[in-house]
Amino acid sequence: MTEFRSSLLQSLIERGFLHQCTDLEGLDKLALEGPVTAYIGFDCTADSPHIGNLVSIMMLRRLQQAGHRPIVLMGGGTTKVGDPSGKDEGRKLLSDEDIARNMAGFRRVFDRYLSFGAGPADAIMLNNADWLDGLQYIPFLRDFGRHFSVNRMLSFDSVKLRLEREQPLSFLEFNYMILQAYDFVELARTQKCRLQLGGSDQWGNIINGIELARRVADIEVFGFTSPLITTSSGAKMGKTVSGAVWLNADRLSSYDFWQYWRNTEDADVGRFLKLFTDLPLVDIDRLVAPDGPGINEAKKALANAATALAHGAAAAAEAAETARRVFEEGTLSDNLPSFEIDLTDGVPAFKLFVQAGLASSNGEARRLISGGGAYLNNAAIENGDRLVTLADLTGDGVIKLSKGKKHHALVRPRAG
């Protein structure tokens, strides 16, 4: 295997971020010449990134740690169009106010992973609406549209798969890849950006940008993609019974975030430690070695490090202590996820499990209970229609719901 001299490529490759690159040797040479400006684009479709975005976020972090300059490009303009990549249908169109609110939520998360400022390696956040919103349609088609072949655009997976499934693809979405390619040209011209990073599903869009930059601006730029991250069992990463694993603590508690990592499949722990934490590789090798401290300690190290990055060291320590008390001592903790509900007239047990986020639907809650996996105050629930009332409160004034041994929530009574 080729030995690369730049710390950027060494870090990205050693930690498992490489899927494809347009020119590894050329990028290695560029990274040795001085700070490289690189970007990743994020659509503003939610007010927080989720774990599915975390590989991209960590690539920008590795870039900055190697002395280079990250650009977080928020798709304030392209969000109004919608990326068809990996989608079965068109996205809901958002208002400018929705997009602005979502961008603010992203910035709060990115502040934990990147250092923003005006220095040569400081990150900046840009909004592609600043240049896309003002484009004139006819001049844009004349100057840039002529460089795109419809035949080739139809061959990209993001388009081809939708058409093969006979699912509608609007002309609006079809324009997305042209606008993303133009983003790369704009950043190359105005920010001296030479590299676009992204997930493997963005390869076609990245190649479009590279070719457009060469044709209209005579600029050599590079593309680098990361692999699609799945668990060792083949599941797509980032989903739980209660939905997406958000990075913003307002959307998902630090305890639930910590617990997500703690429940990582054994075979994935070493890989995830490399991708999602800053632990040195030698420490990771020690943690996962056959004669190391054991897989459970490695999982705790992963949960602690990943949560500290996303929510802060104090939140990670608190989540770890909550888990210790719940699982090792069998005691309750105020830091467990909780919600309030009026129990005066009683609430069916299956409904409480849905409201607690321990089941995604009434049907799933009933199946969990009938299968013997649902507990109320550590006692198995035999009937999903059983009414849970004020009489079920523990001495601490709460009710503990459990899904198996690893997922818990507290129910607190609310005055009717």
Side-chain angles (χ1 to χ4, degrees):
M1 183 177 177
T2 304
E3 294 265 342
F4 295 102
R5 296 173 56 202
S6 68
S7 60
L8 172 61
L9 282 186
Q10 288 173 4
S11 174
L12 290 175
I13 293 172
E14 287 174 350
R15 287 185 171 267
F17 287 96
L18 174 63
H19 179 67
Q20 288 178 288
C21 181
T22 54
D23 181 0
L24 280 171
E25 287 76 15
L27 180 57
D28 190 44
K29 179 181 177 182
L30 182 68
L32 288 170
E33 294 172 355
V36 175
T37 297
Y39 89 98
I40 298 179
F42 298 87
D43 279 341
C44 310
T45 51
D47 61 2
S48 169
H50 52 73
I51 285 220
N53 303 122
L54 193 52
V55 169
S56 292
I57 295 172
M58 292 303 293
M59 279 200 291
L60 290 179
R61 184 174 174 85
R62 301 289 176 236
L63 181 94
Q64 188 169 55
Q65 288 172 335
H68 304 283
R69 180 184 179 227
I71 295 177
V72 179
L73 180 64
M74 299 306 302
T78 42
T79 296
K80 300 171 186 177
V81 175
D83 182 2
S85 301
K87 304 296 182 295
D88 292 334
E89 57 185 16
R91 285 177 173 159
K92 174 185 175 183
L93 298 182
L94 302 179
S95 68
D96 289 341
E97 292 75 19
D98 290 335
I99 291 173
R101 183 176 62 254
N102 291 345
M103 284 181 60
F106 265 70
R107 177 56 188 260
R108 288 194 298 273
V109 172
F110 273 103
D111 280 336
R112 290 198 172 275
Y113 288 90
L114 300 174
S115 174
F116 288 83
D122 284 338
I124 60 173
M125 179 176 279
L126 300 177
N127 179 2
N128 65 8
D130 291 343
W131 53 84
L132 294 182
D133 282 2
L135 289 176
Q136 293 181 303
Y137 189 59
I138 297 302
F140 181 74
L141 286 181
R142 180 193 62 213
D143 297 338
F144 299 97
R146 62 191 178 90
H147 295 290
F148 291 84
S149 162
V150 171
N151 305 66
R152 188 171 182 221
M153 292 167 74
L154 289 171
S155 72
F156 287 125
D157 284 345
S158 60
V159 174
K160 184 170 63 175
L161 294 177
R162 286 272 287 274
L163 297 178
E164 287 176 352
R165 298 185 191 124
E166 297 185 355
Q167 293 161 336
L169 177 71
S170 71
F171 181 71
L172 188 68
E173 294 174 279
F174 195 61
N175 277 266
Y176 184 93
M177 63 183 72
I178 301 177
L179 297 177
Q180 183 172 326
Y182 181 76
D183 283 343
F184 204 172
V185 174
E186 176 72 16
L187 293 175
R189 285 172 167 170
T190 62
Q191 300 293 332
K192 297 182 179 179
C193 180
R194 302 289 301 279
L195 172 64
Q196 183 180 356
L197 304 161
S200 57
D201 62 331
Q202 292 298 313
W203 181 252
N205 290 335
I206 291 173
I207 293 298
N208 280 335
I210 290 172
E211 293 183 352
L212 188 64
R214 175 178 56 82
R215 289 172 178 171
V216 305
D218 195 26
I219 300 173
E220 182 186 24
V221 291
F222 300 84
F224 185 108
T225 61
S226 60
L228 173 67
I229 304 300
T230 59
T231 66
S232 58
S233 62
K236 189 174 181 180
M237 188 180 175
K239 292 289 186 180
T240 68
V241 66
S242 54
V245 181
W246 302 101
L247 302 186
N248 190 324
D250 293 338
R251 297 290 298 269
L252 186 73
S253 72
S254 298
Y255 174 80
D256 282 337
F257 190 80
W258 189 95
Q259 198 63 45
Y260 172 82
W261 295 106
R262 174 63 179 84
N263 293 332
T264 296
E265 296 178 28
D266 292 1
D268 295 325
V269 175
R271 181 165 58 111
F272 287 1
L273 280 165
K274 291 178 181 179
L275 288 169
F276 301 118
T277 81
D278 286 342
L279 291 178
L281 294 177
V282 63
D283 291 349
I284 294 173
D285 290 340
R286 178 185 59 79
L287 280 168
V288 299
D291 59 348
I295 193 64
N296 285 326
E297 290 305 311
K299 290 182 180 182
K300 290 177 185 177
L302 170 61
N304 289 336
T307 306
L309 278 176
H311 295 182
E318 189 175 82
E321 176 60 16
T322 297
R324 188 192 68 78
R325 291 179 59 190
V326 171
F327 298 115
E328 295 178 14
E329 297 180 3
T331 59
L332 298 179
S333 171
D334 289 338
N335 295 321
L336 282 174
S338 65
F339 67 99
E340 292 186 356
I341 191 171
D342 182 7
L343 296 171
T344 305
D345 297 324
V347 178
F350 74 90
K351 289 188 176 180
L352 287 181
F353 273 78
V354 175
Q355 293 193 46
L358 297 175
S360 59
S361 67
N362 290 342
E364 183 176 316
R366 288 185 180 278
R367 289 191 293 274
L368 176 67
I369 293 169
S370 64
Y375 298 82
L376 188 148
N377 295 333
N378 298 323
I381 302 172
E382 296 179 357
N383 182 357
D385 292 315
R386 171 214 195 282
L387 291 182
V388 180
T389 68
L390 294 170
D392 293 300
L393 294 174
T394 67
D396 295 314
V398 297
I399 295 170
K400 179 185 176 185
L401 302 179
S402 303
K403 176 190 175 186
K405 296 181 179 179
K406 295 182 178 181
H407 302 282
H408 309 274
L410 300 181
V411 181
R412 302 183 187 276
R414 184 176 61 211

